[in-house]
Amino acid sequence: MAAPQGGRHRWIGVVIPGSRGDYSYLVEPVADEISLFSLAHGAGRKWMRSECKDRLSSRYSPQQLKRTAPGSHVVCDDRQLLFEEAPEAYKSIGTVIESLREAGLIHVIARLKPVPTYKPRGESV
């Protein structure tokens, strides 16, 4: 989010989300042409959605996937979506944030812990 300040915009903060089983970060972007004035918009997937259930169903039950490592609760009635959106299917947001920080593209303001996560499938909320 940018706020006008004397004809220029000053960044207030941007949320870069992690997976449902990881933290999200509130960051202040450092505007730079080398980054094309852009940032990562999240952790990014490691696995295709179609691979998730086969990779995880022998390790986790749907009930286990409704609780996350940080202690949050997942609200989701779609069993397939629980597997598709499992935290293991995503890259580590910590690695993404650290790379952006080391490149001088962000200043971390806060780490945000998910409490509930609501996962509908393609429905308007």
Side-chain angles (χ1 to χ4, degrees):
M1 172 186 301
Q5 191 171 4
R8 297 179 49 117
H9 284 82
R10 180 181 178 281
W11 289 102
I12 297 172
V14 174
V15 174
I16 300 179
S19 72
R20 72 174 185 222
D22 207 344
Y23 296 93
S24 294
Y25 288 80
L26 178 62
V27 303
E28 179 182 7
V30 176
D32 193 328
E33 287 182 16
I34 198 149
S35 69
L36 303 176
F37 300 99
S38 183
L39 293 175
H41 66 274
R45 296 190 70 85
K46 280 192 306 194
W47 304 337
M48 294 185 334
R49 290 179 180 280
S50 60
E51 299 175 339
C52 296
K53 189 168 184 188
D54 288 342
R55 287 178 175 250
L56 298 172
S57 61
S58 64
R59 292 173 36 203
Y60 302 104
S61 70
Q63 200 59 33
Q64 289 172 309
L65 291 174
K66 289 188 175 190
R67 298 296 286 175
T68 66
S72 65
H73 180 74
V74 179
V75 178
C76 180
D77 293 330
D78 186 325
R79 185 181 174 113
Q80 183 69 29
L81 189 59
L82 274 172
F83 286 98
E84 290 175 7
E85 291 291 317
E88 291 83 354
Y90 287 86
K91 297 174 190 168
S92 164
I93 191 63
T95 303
V96 173
I97 293 298
E98 188 58 24
S99 295
L100 292 170
R101 193 192 63 71
E102 285 178 359
L105 298 175
I106 62 169
H107 299 289
V108 175
I109 298 169
R111 185 174 78 162
L112 310 170
K113 178 182 175 182
V115 181
T117 302
Y118 179 68
K119 292 285 183 184
R121 178 178 287 285
E123 304 165 7
S124 297
V125 186

